[in-house]
Amino acid sequence: MLHGGWLLRGIHFYAANVMLVLALLYVMQLIVTGLYRAPREFIFWVAILSVFALLGLMLTGDLLRWDQEGYWSTKVRTAFLRCCRPWAATPCT
């Protein structure tokens, strides 16, 4: 057991959430100010891809704890993503 590991995990958890919120606020700023139009549309698409990459990293970051809570939270989130596929043959219940 690492001394102070709870503090490191807590800082990592809250920093990841703050980073996602800031990325979403940045994308909203781009939309509100109209910077999604040319010639800055590349920056907008990079920001959108960054938000999706952050969401994916947060999903896989739950497994880093390597405990039952991390396992089940990842299991539930991936099941939800599996249900959200537009090409899914059967809807989720």
Side-chain angles (χ1 to χ4, degrees), residues 21-79:
V21 168
L22 289 176
L24 289 172
L25 286 174
Y26 179 67
V27 169
M28 286 174 37
Q29 179 208 5
L30 290 175
I31 292 171
V32 168
T33 57
L35 295 177
Y36 56 88
R37 293 185 288 247
R40 293 182 179 96
E41 61 190 18
F42 179 73
I43 294 171
F44 174 73
W45 289 112
V46 168
I48 294 292
L49 289 174
S50 298
V51 167
F52 283 115
L54 282 171
L55 287 171
L57 289 172
M58 289 178 75
L59 175 69
T60 59
D62 279 344
L63 281 176
L64 290 177
R65 291 182 294 201
W66 207 250
D67 61 355
Q68 285 296 311
E69 185 180 348
Y71 171 77
W72 285 109
S73 67
T74 304
K75 185 97 168 149
V76 167
R77 289 178 184 177
T78 54

